[in-house]
Amino acid sequence: MIIYGPVLSWRFGRSLGIDLIQPPKICTFDCIYCQLGQTQHKICSRNEFSRRIDIGVLEDELNEKIECVDVDAITLSGSGEPTLNPQLGEVIDVVRGSTKKPLIILTNSSLLSDVSEDLQKLDLVEAKLDAITQDTFASVNKPCE
Ligand code: SF4
């Protein structure tokens, strides 16, 4: 499934999720608190990300969900770091064509400079920063090289 939820979020209300990564987890980090468990596939850039989601399936799942459930927002997230998927811009356009609900992304901030053009099309970019020193960043987020 590409669409999941709705999930009840204290920040966004009832949110429908879009998993741009798909299991198993792929991420640029291996955070010590990650609810998805240890990162087995840690990569540094979009060039290394070879998975693709079926845009037609995404459209079908999204339209079906939107008809059945009332949600406050759509959130791009999922089984790892969503900005790793080069289809991000295309996915944003598909969601915009299906609903006027606020569109949000949850990102670990590692690829912000690579995806800024796509991120400007969103209503909210929830970009996390866990540490203010390099040592703490390395020990908490365990980023790729
Ligand atoms: S950035 Fe998110 S998905 Fe990646 S390891 Fe950290 S908590 Fe898990």
Side-chain angles (χ1 to χ4, degrees):
M1 296 289 282
I2 302 170
I3 307 288
Y4 60 92
V7 176
L8 194 55
S9 155
W10 64 268
R11 289 170 295 182
F12 312 129
R14 280 167 61 84
S15 169
L16 212 54
I18 299 180
D19 186 351
L20 277 155
I21 302 300
Q22 299 291 294
K25 176 173 80 161
I26 299 180
C27 196
T28 51
F29 288 0
D30 184 14
C31 304
I32 56 175
Y33 55 78
C34 184
Q35 62 181 3
L36 301 172
Q38 201 173 6
T39 305
Q40 303 294 341
H41 307 282
K42 185 155 54 174
I43 60 176
C44 293
S45 74
R46 285 181 146 191
N47 294 337
E48 300 168 76
F49 187 84
S50 57
R51 290 183 195 163
R52 295 293 178 269
I53 59 172
D54 187 319
I55 296 295
V57 172
L58 167 68
E59 278 180 310
D60 290 346
E61 287 185 13
L62 183 61
N63 291 330
E64 193 178 317
K65 277 280 191 179
I66 286 171
E67 271 182 28
C68 299
V69 292
D70 188 29
V71 295
D72 301 305
I74 312 289
T75 305
L76 303 171
S77 180
S79 311
E81 172 49 40
T83 58
L84 276 170
N85 190 329
Q87 296 170 291
L88 175 62
E90 192 180 358
V91 169
I92 292 170
D93 293 341
V94 165
V95 177
R96 289 295 196 206
S98 298
T99 176
K100 296 198 183 319
K101 299 288 181 185
L103 184 52
I104 299 157
I105 193 166
L106 308 182
T107 174
N108 67 13
S109 314
S110 58
L111 302 175
L112 288 183
S113 56
D114 297 335
V115 299
S116 59
E117 204 172 305
D118 289 338
L119 298 187
Q120 286 174 38
K121 298 193 283 186
L122 297 165
D123 296 298
L124 180 67
V125 177
E126 182 89 359
K128 76 170 177 176
L129 176 65
D130 288 339
I132 57 168
T133 68
Q134 189 64 30
D135 285 349
T136 307
F137 173 55
S139 60
V140 171
N141 298 119
K142 294 189 277 181
C144 69
E145 289 302 316

